[in-house]
Amino acid sequence: MSDAALPHAFQYESARHQARTAIAGMWLFLASEVLFFGVLFLSWIVCRHWNQAGFDAGARQTALAIGTLNTVILITSSAFYTAGVAFIEASNTRRLIQCCALAWVLGLAFLILKFGIEWHEDLARHLFPGPRFAITGELRTGAQLFFVFYFVATALHGLHLLAGLGLVGWIIRRAGRGEFSAQYSTPVAVVGLYWSFVDMVWIVLFPLIYLIGRGP
Amino acid sequence: MSAAAGAAALSGESYLTDGFSLRSWLLTTDHKRIAILYLASITVFFFIGAAGAALVRYNLIVPEGLIKSAETYNRLFTMHGVVMVWFFLVPAVPVTLGNFIVPLMLGARDLAFPKLNLVSWYLFMLGGAIVLYSLFTGGVDTGWTFYTPLTTQYSKGHVVATVIGIFIAGFSSIATGLNFIVSIHRLRAPGMTWFRMPVFLWSLYATSVILVLATPVLAMTLVLLAFERIFHIGVFDPTLGGDPLLFQHLFWFYSHPAVYIMILPGFGIVSEIVPAFSRKPLFGYTFVVWASIGIAVISFLVWGHHMFVAGTSLFSALVFSILSYMVAVPSAIKVFNWIGTLHKGFIRFDAPMLYALGFIGLFTMGGLTGLFVAALAADVHLTQTYFVVAHFHYVMVGGMVSAFFAGLHYWWPKITGRHYPEMWGRAGALIIFIGFHLTFFPQFILGYLGMPRRYHSYAPEFQVLNVLSSAGTTILAAGYLLPLGYLTWSLLRGERAAPNPWDATGLEWQTPSPPPTENFVATPVVTEEPYAYPRPKPQATS
């Protein structure tokens, strides 16, 4: 497909004009998302400030091993996806599909570890806030609040990751139909921005959940 | 494509005749049709919200309250607030006039992301449907501010459903704002530099920045609120380690900028209309532009003035008080510039101009009384009284709704291809202006005398002023029903409009009325400053 013949919507001058606009749109959306998660982080830190000992007690109940493994998995999946973007810029569709498939599988592995195993254990150990909450005594208040944040944050992050899996799957399907090339790979880049953003949210969540206050 | 579009334009084809099926409307990606979908939707929401207000005023005719139940009264004013804020005032101008006019003013064929634009309408309708469901099956009694722990622990009613509806509608706002920002950056016609953009575009740009950056703050706050409401353990409950002031901080971090989401587009509309009907360039264009941006920036820094009596520190209250004074500066610059534009202009009093002049007067009163409540000492006396109610209604209803009507009348010939009946339009503008003052001016006095807001009954000595206010409401209601009648009538019987009936500048007037689906036969090229109106010629006739 030659550059001049590339299709574009009628409000744009060229496919290039449209592609750069789409990328600008995704950046702006991510700016909005930063504020969305930013409020969560801010509230988390404010509440931790009022209830430090309780939050620490809560943090010690989290599964550090799974959390660490999940961090590695998510960063690796972003690395694969980014490699895929580089491959399609060299018109290598086969490698793009392979990279996206790996990123997709790793994303799924994160969700299984997080919700299939970690949440399952958390719930079995009565860590969900409520009358049957596991931690009692004076640390109960803060620890419960910690787990409010834990469940809200991981659920929202999980939903974002789920949407990301859908998007990466969509990229794989379109790549399989041979729609992308060095001349046209905008959707690949746009989804890549989103996928990396979901990764970055986790990079903030990881210390908030598992690391801060865990020490002796 | 352009040849086909040219032929279509010559044969009188327009976006209105490009398909007549329901499907061609409900699945359209044409920004003009989406604007019409939105216009119909927000009109419905406006009258639902207005009905709530009418019932509130009806209750307050007698001191003990005609509606005997405080509970019912609380639900009524909450319904009024929720519907008016999120389903009329915040979206009104951007999604209707903005959607229609922004691409035309830019010289573009559509917004950057037309499908996203359609999605935003469906999100809006979904959110609206959920909110209406919850309001009509019992509603909520918390006020539109949803303060915790009242909302999360004590209130009866459909808090979670209402919150979900607002959450969903928020994403519609974000989609619209994102679309405008990207379109203004990327789709300006050749020659349309940033400082050749009409102020309407600048003000919607500023509005969109707030929409994109403030709305997600509300969204997350509502998520945390809903969690707390459902599980009875959460972030804002002081008995369980949470912080209720945190809710107020987060809520007002959205909701104070949201005030400027509501009023900034109004500034834009008035900045279009005043030059067009004074036949003069906008006085101090650059100042008006930077004032818009300044307001958008400062609006993020003033939220604390809603919490002067909530137990914040004196230092933070002082800082927020000073910052709130600062936001008055760009607002005053704008008023000054509109008056400067009128000075020695050749002024025509068509209906859009009457509405715009009404806006300037009402907004000035609303803005100046804002300084009273921004002052720490005065606010301690005035907060939670009818003074505050009157203040923000002068800005929101007197200002914003007048500006919306001004814009609607100004661009009505462009949108529909028909003229509204001029005499009826002028009558509407006058009736709204008079009805508005009668409704809300007594509330300034009531508040100053100490009548608290949000009570279904009041002390007998306040009755005269309350009856005056309620009487004003009936005039106001007539004023709002009037445009509904004559604008609808004009759709069928109105005189056909020429492409540029006001002889105004701006690219939207360089295409037929109503415009063809592609907006422009040939992409326009901009070669001069905005508002390049000739110097006034006193001998010319209207």
Side-chain angles (χ1 to χ4, degrees):
Chain A
M1 203 183 275
S2 79
D3 202 30
L6 283 168
H8 58 88
F10 74 164
Q11 67 270 40
Y12 295 104
E13 290 157 22
S14 64
R16 184 180 154 80
H17 187 199
Q18 182 168 1
R20 302 184 96 190
T21 306
I23 288 172
M26 180 48 92
W27 274 111
L28 199 57
F29 174 69
L30 293 184
S32 189
E33 288 271 68
V34 167
L35 268 292
F36 182 68
F37 281 102
V39 171
L40 184 69
F41 301 151
L42 176 82
S43 311
W44 191 315
I45 291 164
V46 168
C47 287
R48 187 176 191 283
H49 174 75
W50 296 123
N51 308 278
Q52 197 161 334
F55 267 61
D56 294 353
R60 280 194 283 275
Q61 299 298 318
T62 54
L64 179 62
I66 298 177
T68 311
L69 183 60
N70 260 341
T71 309
V72 174
I73 285 175
L74 217 48
I75 293 175
T76 314
S77 94
S78 270
F80 277 120
Y81 194 95
T82 312
V85 176
F87 279 123
I88 197 59
E89 281 166 5
S91 282
N92 191 338
T93 303
R94 202 168 64 91
R95 283 268 185 266
L96 168 71
I97 295 173
Q98 289 169 348
C99 284
C100 285
L102 279 168
W104 195 91
V105 169
L106 287 170
L108 187 67
F110 177 99
L111 289 179
I112 291 170
L113 279 171
K114 179 87 234 165
F115 298 101
I117 298 176
E118 194 178 349
W119 263 38
H120 186 76
E121 276 183 21
D122 296 336
L123 295 175
R125 291 168 56 211
H126 297 297
L127 290 173
F128 193 86
R132 298 173 64 201
F133 188 66
I135 300 170
T136 52
E138 62 179 21
L139 295 179
R140 181 190 174 96
T141 304
Q144 277 204 121
L145 213 48
F146 172 85
F147 276 98
V148 168
F149 282 112
Y150 171 84
F151 282 103
V152 170
T154 50
L156 287 173
H157 178 259
L159 283 175
H160 276 76
L161 193 57
L162 201 62
L165 285 185
L167 289 170
V168 174
W170 174 69
I171 292 292
I172 294 174
R173 199 163 141 236
R174 288 188 68 180
R177 290 197 298 243
E179 289 183 25
F180 301 128
S181 64
Q183 283 79 39
Y184 177 66
S185 62
T186 317
V188 185
V190 170
V191 171
L193 287 173
Y194 177 81
W195 191 253
S196 297
F197 174 78
V198 175
D199 206 359
M200 300 222 334
V201 171
W202 180 255
I203 287 174
V204 182
L205 281 178
F206 176 61
L208 274 176
I209 296 172
Y210 300 98
L211 300 184
I212 298 173
R214 199 182 187 91
Chain B
M1 181 180 284
S2 67
L10 288 176
S11 65
E13 291 285 320
S14 77
Y15 80 99
L16 290 170
T17 55
D18 188 2
F20 293 96
S21 62
L22 193 62
R23 188 189 160 84
S24 75
W25 279 91
L26 293 181
L27 293 179
T28 183
T29 55
D30 184 340
H31 66 100
K32 301 182 286 301
R33 287 194 164 203
I34 295 170
I36 301 290
L37 291 175
Y38 262 125
L39 183 61
S41 322
I42 67 153
T43 304
V44 172
F45 283 111
F46 176 77
F47 281 102
I48 292 172
L55 287 170
V56 164
R57 283 313 323 167
Y58 165 78
N59 173 69
L60 294 173
I61 291 174
V62 296
E64 65 275 17
L66 280 169
I67 301 165
K68 298 294 177 199
S69 153
E71 180 81 13
T72 309
Y73 179 78
N74 292 350
R75 285 167 196 247
L76 277 174
F77 74 67
T78 305
M79 167 175 126
H80 166 66
V82 168
V83 171
M84 279 301 196
V85 168
W86 281 293
F87 297 93
F88 180 74
L89 289 168
V90 165
V93 174
V95 299
T96 57
L97 300 172
N99 246 337
F100 199 99
I101 298 298
V102 163
L104 288 167
M105 270 192 172
L106 287 168
R109 294 187 191 278
D110 206 320
L111 288 170
F113 309 117
K115 283 181 205 154
L116 184 66
N117 199 11
L118 181 64
V119 168
S120 88
W121 182 70
Y122 278 101
L123 287 174
F124 179 76
M125 295 308 281
L126 178 65
I130 294 172
V131 165
L132 286 187
Y133 161 80
S134 69
L135 294 180
F136 285 129
T137 54
V140 272
D141 59 356
T142 62
W144 76 281
T145 49
F146 293 109
Y147 268 20
T148 56
L150 168 65
T151 331
T152 49
Q153 306 294 337
Y154 304 109
S155 164
K156 295 190 258 322
H158 300 282
V159 172
V160 174
T162 312
V163 158
I164 290 172
I166 295 167
F167 180 85
I168 294 172
F171 286 96
S172 147
S173 290
I174 294 174
T176 302
L178 192 149
N179 227 334
F180 284 173
I181 293 178
V182 174
S183 301
I184 289 172
H185 271 277
R186 301 290 299 166
L187 295 179
R188 279 171 286 131
M192 173 80 87
T193 59
W194 282 93
F195 286 94
R196 281 180 183 168
M197 288 201 320
V199 171
F200 186 62
L201 290 178
W202 274 107
S203 63
L204 277 179
Y205 186 86
T207 307
S208 302
V209 169
I210 306 176
L211 281 171
V212 169
L213 296 183
T215 315
V217 173
L218 177 73
M220 181 56 88
T221 311
L222 293 180
V223 168
L224 295 173
L225 180 84
F227 184 97
E228 183 167 332
R229 171 86 187 174
I230 295 167
F231 296 107
H232 297 290
I233 287 176
V235 179
F236 306 124
D237 182 356
T239 59
L240 291 170
D243 186 349
L245 273 190
L246 179 65
F247 176 84
Q248 296 185 22
H249 278 294
L250 295 175
F251 180 82
W252 290 115
F253 187 85
Y254 162 79
S255 291
H256 198 83
V259 170
Y260 296 93
I261 293 175
M262 302 174 203
I263 197 72
L264 271 167
F267 294 160
I269 291 170
V270 172
S271 302
E272 298 303 312
I273 291 174
V274 169
F277 292 89
S278 309
R279 314 308 302 162
K280 269 182 69 190
L282 182 66
F283 178 75
Y285 166 84
T286 330
F287 280 89
V288 180
V289 165
W290 285 112
S292 301
I293 301 298
I295 288 172
V297 173
I298 302 172
S299 76
F300 278 102
L301 307 174
V302 299
W303 79 89
H305 67 216
H306 293 273
M307 300 166 60
F308 285 160
V309 295
T312 53
S313 76
L314 185 61
F315 177 74
S316 101
L318 261 177
V319 171
F320 278 119
S321 179
I322 292 166
L323 285 166
S324 305
Y325 271 92
M326 277 173 61
V327 86
V329 175
S331 310
I333 287 175
K334 287 183 179 237
V335 174
F336 178 74
N337 280 289
W338 296 321
I339 293 168
T341 310
L342 291 169
H343 180 63
K344 291 192 177 171
F346 181 54
I347 299 168
R348 289 186 315 190
F349 291 106
D350 295 288
M353 185 62 161
L354 287 183
Y355 278 110
L357 292 173
F359 168 92
I360 295 174
L362 297 174
F363 171 73
T364 304
M365 282 189 66
L368 286 175
T369 50
L371 293 175
F372 292 38
V373 286
L376 264 180
D379 186 64
V380 173
H381 174 64
L382 296 172
T383 192
Q384 294 297 330
T385 70
Y386 265 85
F387 191 91
V388 177
V389 176
H391 154 65
F392 71 75
H393 279 86
Y394 263 83
V395 178
M396 304 284 88
V397 188
M400 161 54 212
V401 179
S402 293
F404 175 69
F405 277 126
L408 195 63
H409 285 79
Y410 181 57
W411 284 302
W412 190 256
K414 181 56 62 186
I415 294 170
T416 63
R418 303 273 191 171
H419 277 289
Y420 60 87
E422 184 58 45
M423 281 319 294
W424 283 106
R426 290 180 195 187
L430 278 175
I431 291 170
I432 288 174
F433 187 77
I434 294 166
F436 183 85
H437 274 300
L438 189 56
T439 307
F440 289 101
F441 196 84
Q443 297 186 8
F444 277 129
I445 304 167
L446 281 170
Y448 183 76
L449 294 175
M451 177 171 162
R453 59 192 287 210
R454 292 183 172 142
Y455 283 79
H456 86 296
S457 57
Y458 54 87
E461 64 262 34
F462 296 137
Q463 188 172 13
V464 173
L465 289 165
N466 269 297
V467 168
L468 276 178
S469 178
S470 295
T473 310
T474 58
I475 300 177
L476 199 53
Y480 287 146
L481 285 168
L482 205 57
L484 184 72
Y486 66 74
L487 289 178
T488 310
W489 175 87
S490 79
L491 288 176
L492 305 170
R493 297 290 174 82
E495 197 187 322
R496 295 272 177 192
N500 190 358
W502 310 120
D503 198 14
T505 62
L507 293 180
E508 76 269 28
W509 303 109
Q510 295 183 18
T511 188
S513 303
T517 302
E518 290 85 355
N519 288 354
F520 296 97
V521 175
T523 304
V525 178
V526 180
T527 54
E528 56 185 8
E529 306 304 307
Y531 315 109
Y533 290 105
R535 294 284 132 192
K537 292 175 192 148
Q539 71 274 19
T541 56
S542 53

